[in-house]
Amino acid sequence: MQESPTPRNFIADIVATDLESGRHKGVVTRFPPEPNGYLHIGHAKSICLNFGLARAFGGACHLRFDDTNPSTEDLEYVEAIQRDVRWLGFDWGPNLFFASDYYEALYEHALHLIRTGFAYVCSLSDAGVKAGRGSVSEPGVDSPYRGRSVEENLALFERMRLGEFEDGAHVLRAKIDMAAANMKLRDPAIYRIKHAPHYRRGKDWCVYPLYDFAHCLSDAQEGITHSICTLEFENNRELYDWLLARSVVDCRPRQFEFARLNLTHTLLSKRKLLELVQQGLVRGWDDPRMPTIAGMRRRGYTPEAITAFCELIGVAKNNSLVDLGKLEFCLREDLHERAPRVSCVFYPLRVTLTPVPKATTLVAARFPDRPERGTRLVPLSAELFIERADFSEAPPPGWHRLAPGAEVRLRHAGLLRCETVEKDADGTVIALACSYHEDDGTRKVKGTIHWVSAAEALDVEVRLYDKLFGADEPTALDPLNSGSLEVIQGCKIEPSVNGTEAGAHFQFERHGYFVSDPDGTPERPIFNRTVTLRDGFAKVLAAAMPGAAATPPRVERPRTRAAQGQAQAELPRSIARLTEPARGIAEARRARGASDAAALVFATDEALGQLFDGAVELGACASITGNLAANELRGLLGAVGVQGLRFGAAELAELVGLIDEGAVTNTTAKDVLAHLIAKGGSPRGVVEALGATKLAHGELAAIVSEVVATHAAEATRYREGKTALLAFFVGQVMRRTKGQANPAELEPLLRARLVHRIHPIEG
RNA sequence: UCCGGUGUCGUUCAAUGGCAGGACGGAGGACUUUGAAUCCUCUAAUCGUGGUUCGAAUCCACGCACCGGAACCA
């Protein structure tokens, strides 16, 4: 197994930054499944991310069961999930946790929230709560129970726990804001009454915490540093932070979201997969057609293939739909190294050889391109089976296989020519009589076919699997692919596989990768097709014969990034569109000398506008000030906001003055701005401290020469015509001079220096 | 409609103001006792419009498209 490299994705970057800055001493992540179903390939992505991060940064990843809903959870799932995570190659060590072990502590946290006035018992019905929540565009209304006293809430919550009420009679709600734009903050329920036995806690409890409440506190309890979840929880983050801020906890985990996996032709929803199982549409959670880890394992996937896939697809916040072909690529890549080759004929056609081959046993490599990895014995005789599909009486153009009078190579054996074709009364080919020659290496034969010796061949069952859904993006409503399972009895396989235990991988040459299924026995194995080999001939065939589309035409999904954006507003028009007072303000600042774009910004950001006004009144050039404030300053501001600024109009005016008189470059000005925001001070002072006045011409020329000399290869490519590299050189010089080079001087200088070399001194 | 998020080759992920790059796919070729594998070559993208800047995928503005959010599920 290869060493896992440090993952490169935006979350790994955050972790690395947090470690460097000392924000955290170590990383602790967690994989938090709810034990209400089996893990699938989408979970594998999350497992690889969480455990991979811990592994890469020398931290820990906890396995925590988020079991807060007794009515859907089960021990069977707990066991299956542990089995699957372990099989994928990850180890949680001693860090196995259950939210259900935290019920007591969680209850205390709830009491604390009530005592501090941040939670109340609401006695509205389910429907009543819903009605009061409002809608995405309308605020909700306060529950009539929102004003209950702490004492009353405490007493009621205690009685809830004691089991004095029916399910749904009361619910504990966080007291936040019924008008919040984020609906997750409209007094969410955090505890509900549920008279249901829990698979681990039995009848200990009849109130259970809800996800948002239990999750953040469980994270804090375990000292999680980075709580990584999928995009649909983005709106929950505010609630996550709200709850932790009001609870007594030792640490403050932060939540980060990434895009969950979507795979073409694959259903990745635990709920819908459960339906397939319950309706008997598949054989179970581990049906080899299922995208569950258990199903994939039985199908013949390897942990290495799955983790390589997760590495390949990366981690981002982009909603994406990954082509199933990528998974298959990783699978084939791994199996190519792992699966010894054997010969298996699915639909046998009898062939008799004359003369009878002299050799009765051949020695064939298990891995033909890696002979050192061993051999197997293959019997040879005058009676063989070959694949029916490898013979054609009327071969299409480009056919390399057997046909009347044609010659092919028998894999590992000699050459074969079809002499006569034997048919039954219906005209079906039932046998072939062929002449046999040892291979003297003089003849070039295009095709090679696989075969087995008839007498020694084993009869086996082979199960061919295909996609469960034909649709690119299936929903549960889509019909199952009727050809997703094909069972072939009476396949003929070489005897070397006798004694194979379940779970052994093979490549059936020219067919694909197969794995022995637990339904079989060592004496009578059953094989599942894991994945076919890439089939170049199928493409040739499809191209040659238009009607026979081997691959169905790809359905284009509606392009998300489709560029039909028009109706763009020109700036003056945007100003015109503003409300009357705002337009007046914008116009006034435009009149004062701000550009259209800047004026528009100042119309919506009054604080920034006033900063602009102040600087201009102090005599700063209006256009420079406007652009600097609206474009550069605004970008640097971030969460600080104009109010939080450590400098005012005077400093801005001073900086603009420096630009205006040519003392500093624009790049430097931006650096100064960043400096002022972070530390305050005066522009002149910062410029001095940075030593950032514009470079003298002589100095610049020297640096240009140096840069060109140290990048000789790029200079050559530039002279050869890659003129885009001029930007590269400008960049190098700018970097070297920390942005103090005068751009107006730099470019001609650089151009001259670069060309100069091509015509070395003429005289 | 409100809030949050996302837009880069056909797909997926990079580029953290300085040469738009990798992988998968596709096309072509070499090699081949698996029409496999391997090797080589090619293909092809910054959602739109303005602005700032010597320089913009990246910063600013205005738009557009798509995804998520109104469970006593997670």
Side-chain angles (χ1 to χ4, degrees):
Chain A
M1 213 177 127
Q2 62 203 25
E3 201 52 45
S4 61
T6 304
R8 291 300 307 178
N9 58 61
F10 78 101
I11 296 177
D13 289 345
I14 290 169
V15 171
T17 306
D18 287 347
L19 256 21
E20 276 162 33
S21 72
R23 181 176 194 142
H24 297 296
K25 284 200 283 292
V27 57
V28 186
T29 57
R30 101 270 91 114
F31 174 63
E34 187 192 7
N36 65 349
Y38 277 56
L39 261 24
H40 55 62
I41 179 73
H43 295 109
K45 179 178 177 183
S46 174
I47 291 167
C48 289
L49 212 210
N50 279 296
F51 281 94
L53 245 20
R55 189 181 281 176
F57 293 100
C61 179
H62 299 181
L63 176 62
R64 179 175 73 235
F65 288 92
D66 240 351
D67 50 358
T68 55
N69 187 354
S71 44
T72 55
E73 295 156 5
D74 198 278
L75 192 60
E76 178 204 348
Y77 298 127
V78 170
E79 286 163 356
I81 289 168
Q82 294 193 44
R83 187 159 60 235
D84 290 345
V85 174
R86 223 176 257 129
W87 178 75
L88 281 172
F90 298 103
D91 182 13
W92 52 87
N95 302 307
L96 174 64
F97 301 107
F98 293 83
S100 50
D101 286 340
Y102 303 147
Y103 283 172
E104 284 75 13
L106 256 12
Y107 183 78
E108 290 302 320
H109 277 117
L111 289 178
H112 179 257
L113 236 35
I114 295 172
R115 287 194 200 102
T116 49
F118 287 117
Y120 64 97
V121 174
C122 178
S123 308
L124 248 22
S125 67
D126 191 355
V129 170
K130 198 181 168 129
R133 185 117 45 206
S135 75
V136 288
S137 47
E138 293 156 50
V141 295
D142 285 0
S143 159
Y145 305 100
R146 203 171 198 261
R148 285 220 253 237
S149 70
V150 169
E151 292 67 32
E152 192 181 358
N153 283 322
L154 247 19
L156 241 21
F157 190 47
E158 170 72 9
R159 293 174 59 199
M160 281 167 66
R161 190 191 68 154
L162 261 20
E164 294 187 18
F165 306 113
E166 299 280 292
D167 284 11
H170 307 281
V171 62
L172 185 69
R173 292 227 253 169
K175 192 190 283 187
I176 310 182
D177 178 8
M178 289 308 291
N182 179 354
M183 304 224 20
K184 288 282 188 282
L185 261 33
R186 319 249 261 228
D187 289 9
I190 56 178
Y191 260 94
R192 83 287 218 182
I193 301 170
K194 204 160 199 161
H195 291 273
H198 187 274
Y199 76 99
R200 289 186 77 240
R201 303 301 307 264
K203 293 188 173 149
D204 290 357
W205 292 84
C206 62
V207 291
Y208 292 93
L210 280 131
Y211 166 83
D212 287 295
F213 183 73
H215 198 84
C216 61
L217 288 165
S218 300
D219 281 348
Q221 162 75 31
E222 293 175 20
I224 301 300
T225 55
H226 299 80
S227 180
I228 301 165
C229 62
T230 45
L231 248 29
E232 67 270 26
F233 292 98
E234 261 169 338
N235 294 304
N236 299 57
R237 186 177 57 228
E238 215 178 337
L239 179 52
Y240 185 102
D241 292 335
W242 188 96
L243 285 166
L244 285 184
R246 282 155 190 80
S247 299
V248 182
V249 291
D250 309 329
C251 71
R252 194 69 76 76
R254 282 180 304 152
Q255 176 182 304
F256 300 94
E257 310 86 15
F258 71 99
R260 68 171 340 124
L261 173 68
N262 296 293
L263 251 195
T264 61
H265 309 290
T266 309
L267 207 54
L268 291 182
S269 140
K270 264 203 268 185
R271 224 182 60 78
K272 288 173 185 168
L273 293 176
L274 177 63
E275 275 175 41
L276 291 180
V277 173
Q278 285 177 339
Q279 291 175 21
L281 265 18
V282 293
R283 280 185 46 172
W285 285 102
D286 72 341
D287 186 298
R289 294 167 295 179
M290 289 282 272
T292 51
I293 305 299
M296 293 170 77
R297 175 168 56 228
R298 189 162 180 183
R299 173 80 169 256
Y301 275 79
T302 61
E304 290 80 2
I306 294 173
T307 51
F309 170 72
C310 292
E311 186 62 35
L312 177 78
I313 57 172
V315 176
K317 294 189 79 155
N318 227 358
N319 272 311
S320 57
L321 178 63
V322 177
D323 196 311
L324 184 60
K326 283 194 172 63
L327 216 208
E328 294 186 339
F329 165 80
C330 294
L331 182 57
R332 291 187 181 111
E333 195 179 40
D334 183 57
L335 258 14
H336 179 71
E337 297 301 319
R338 187 185 299 278
R341 316 287 129 120
V342 296
S343 179
C344 180
V345 173
F346 292 172
Y347 295 101
L349 175 60
R350 186 174 293 272
V351 169
T352 48
L353 263 34
T354 42
V356 175
K358 276 194 239 110
T360 54
T361 306
L362 303 171
V363 178
R366 296 171 74 233
F367 296 88
D369 32 0
R370 304 277 298 278
E372 73 280 7
R373 292 184 69 183
T375 56
R376 71 211 206 245
L377 265 21
V378 179
L380 174 63
S381 68
E383 291 277 307
L384 309 181
F385 290 118
I386 67 166
E387 204 69 65
R388 275 186 174 274
D390 281 337
F391 173 77
S392 170
E393 270 196 294
W399 184 256
H400 294 173
R401 277 104 103 145
L402 202 56
E407 192 172 35
V408 297
R409 188 184 304 279
L410 291 171
R411 180 69 164 153
H412 300 298
L415 302 173
L416 172 86
R417 184 192 299 280
C418 174
E419 303 296 351
T420 43
V421 180
E422 191 183 324
K423 297 181 190 179
D424 66 11
D426 304 333
T428 308
V429 176
I430 51 170
L432 260 30
C434 297
S435 56
Y436 173 81
H437 326 271
E438 300 222 349
D439 187 5
D440 55 9
T442 58
R443 251 176 313 199
K444 52 181 190 330
V445 175
K446 270 237 167 116
T448 300
I449 63 172
H450 62 281
W451 54 275
V452 290
S453 178
E456 295 86 353
L458 262 44
D459 260 30
V460 292
E461 175 180 328
V462 169
R463 297 172 180 173
L464 267 26
Y465 298 100
D466 199 355
K467 320 174 165 64
L468 207 42
F469 295 96
D472 234 33
E473 283 184 276
T475 68
L477 279 33
D478 286 318
L480 262 50
N481 172 12
S482 57
S484 64
L485 171 61
E486 183 189 347
V487 178
I488 314 175
Q489 305 283 355
C491 297
K492 303 289 185 181
I493 196 166
E494 63 173 70
S496 75
V497 300
N498 199 355
T500 294
E501 302 286 343
H505 300 277
F506 293 97
Q507 186 199 99
F508 292 0
E509 284 195 301
R510 304 211 305 131
H511 278 306
Y513 295 99
F514 290 75
V515 68
S516 42
D517 189 90
D519 280 353
T521 64
E523 298 70 39
R524 265 197 114 63
I526 291 173
F527 291 99
N528 294 326
R529 183 170 70 195
T530 308
V531 66
T532 61
L533 254 23
R534 276 186 73 207
D535 189 357
F537 184 59
K539 271 186 249 169
V540 174
L541 221 50
M545 297 190 292
T551 47
R554 227 185 104 80
V555 185
E556 273 294 304
R557 97 186 145 125
R559 305 276 21 246
T560 31
R561 332 147 155 59
Q564 40 248 7
Q566 58 273 122
Q568 72 300 129
E570 277 140 38
L571 272 328
R573 231 203 301 160
S574 295
I575 290 177
R577 212 182 276 176
L578 293 169
T579 56
E580 190 53 49
R583 185 164 67 214
I585 294 166
E587 290 295 353
R589 293 196 169 115
R590 193 142 71 117
R592 194 166 270 208
S595 67
D596 292 343
L600 191 62
V601 171
F602 298 146
T604 51
D605 189 337
E606 182 53 25
L608 202 61
Q610 282 176 16
L611 196 63
F612 164 80
D613 290 343
V616 173
E617 272 157 31
L618 289 167
C621 166
S623 72
I624 297 178
T625 309
N627 288 338
L628 196 65
N631 291 309
E632 310 297 350
L633 181 55
R634 192 150 216 257
L636 290 168
L637 234 35
V640 178
V642 176
Q643 285 76 13
L645 241 31
R646 297 160 191 261
F647 64 93
E651 286 77 12
L652 184 57
E654 186 182 323
L655 180 57
V656 170
L658 289 172
I659 301 170
D660 208 6
E661 71 200 35
V664 299
T665 61
N666 279 299
T667 310
T668 301
K670 202 174 163 188
D671 288 347
V672 172
L673 228 34
H675 210 273
L676 289 176
I677 289 172
K679 303 210 169 73
S682 83
R684 271 178 211 287
V686 173
V687 169
E688 247 166 68
L690 261 42
T693 44
K694 258 185 214 169
L695 243 38
H697 190 84
E699 273 178 279
L700 186 57
I703 291 171
V704 165
S705 298
E706 206 184 312
V707 165
V708 173
T710 51
H711 294 95
E714 284 82 2
T716 305
R717 278 166 62 212
Y718 175 87
R719 286 180 210 112
E720 284 165 2
K722 175 105 180 156
T723 49
L725 280 169
L726 188 66
F728 164 76
F729 283 105
V730 172
Q732 289 301 315
V733 173
M734 284 299 185
R735 190 162 289 176
R736 184 81 63 102
T737 62
K738 289 188 282 183
Q740 293 155 37
N742 182 354
E745 292 171 23
L746 175 57
E747 221 173 280
L749 217 50
L750 209 41
R751 225 185 276 274
R753 189 75 189 96
L754 282 166
V755 176
H756 175 75
R757 275 289 172 81
I758 207 167
H759 307 295
I761 308 100
E762 303 278 327

